[in-house]
Amino acid sequence: QVQLVESGGGLVQAGGSLRLSCAASGRASSTIDMGWFRQAPGKEREFVAAISWNGGSTYYADSVKGRFTISRDYVKNTVYLQMNSLKPEDTAVYYCAAKSRWPAQTLIAGKVYNYWGQGTQVTVSS
């Protein structure tokens, strides 16, 4: 079992920055792939970013490339999502997700993740 706790959401003006954190417990972080997803009101959940178990591969949705950066700290068992140049359309509940590194699967599909956090609200005002 993996427990995930997100933090760092809040209200920010367009053009501003936020850093989301996802603290994982229950398994060594070096054995799990991690991802961030978001869901805006009335919309389906969508992929935002992901990072492989060894940090060697990162993936981003086209809508956030160049603005968001995913990273991980193995000592703290934490994954981060640095969000810069935020836009009102980034407003959503952001969820952290985790899956075992085995089997190797695409990290952009939500269905491959077994564990999810409770979500943290990000609101970007125009």
Side-chain angles (χ1 to χ4, degrees):
Q1 287 287 343
V2 177
Q3 293 78 42
L4 303 171
V5 179
E6 301 104 330
S7 60
L11 173 64
V12 64
Q13 288 189 333
S17 298
L18 281 175
R19 188 177 78 158
L20 304 184
S21 299
C22 174
S25 61
R27 282 184 65 171
S29 60
S30 60
T31 65
I32 54 177
D33 300 313
M34 303 286 292
W36 286 96
F37 291 77
R38 66 187 182 187
Q39 187 166 20
K43 294 188 176 181
E44 293 188 352
R45 182 183 64 196
E46 65 175 359
F47 168 76
V48 176
I51 187 165
S52 62
W53 62 275
N54 62 357
S57 298
T58 56
Y59 307 88
Y60 296 94
D62 288 342
S63 59
V64 306
K65 278 180 183 176
R67 301 188 297 122
F68 291 11
T69 303
I70 189 170
S71 61
R72 63 193 304 170
D73 183 324
Y74 292 94
V75 174
K76 296 182 178 179
N77 273 11
T78 299
V79 171
Y80 303 99
L81 185 67
Q82 178 66 44
M83 305 186 295
N84 299 329
S85 302
L86 282 161
K87 305 175 182 180
E89 50 263 45
D90 294 318
T91 295
V93 177
Y94 283 70
Y95 296 92
C96 176
K99 63 171 286 294
S100 172
R101 58 176 283 203
W102 305 281
Q105 297 166 295
T106 175
L107 299 186
I108 66 173
K111 63 181 181 181
V112 307
Y113 292 88
N114 308 110
Y115 307 101
W116 293 84
Q118 81 288 352
T120 185
Q121 177 70 47
V122 171
T123 302
V124 184
S125 63
S126 57

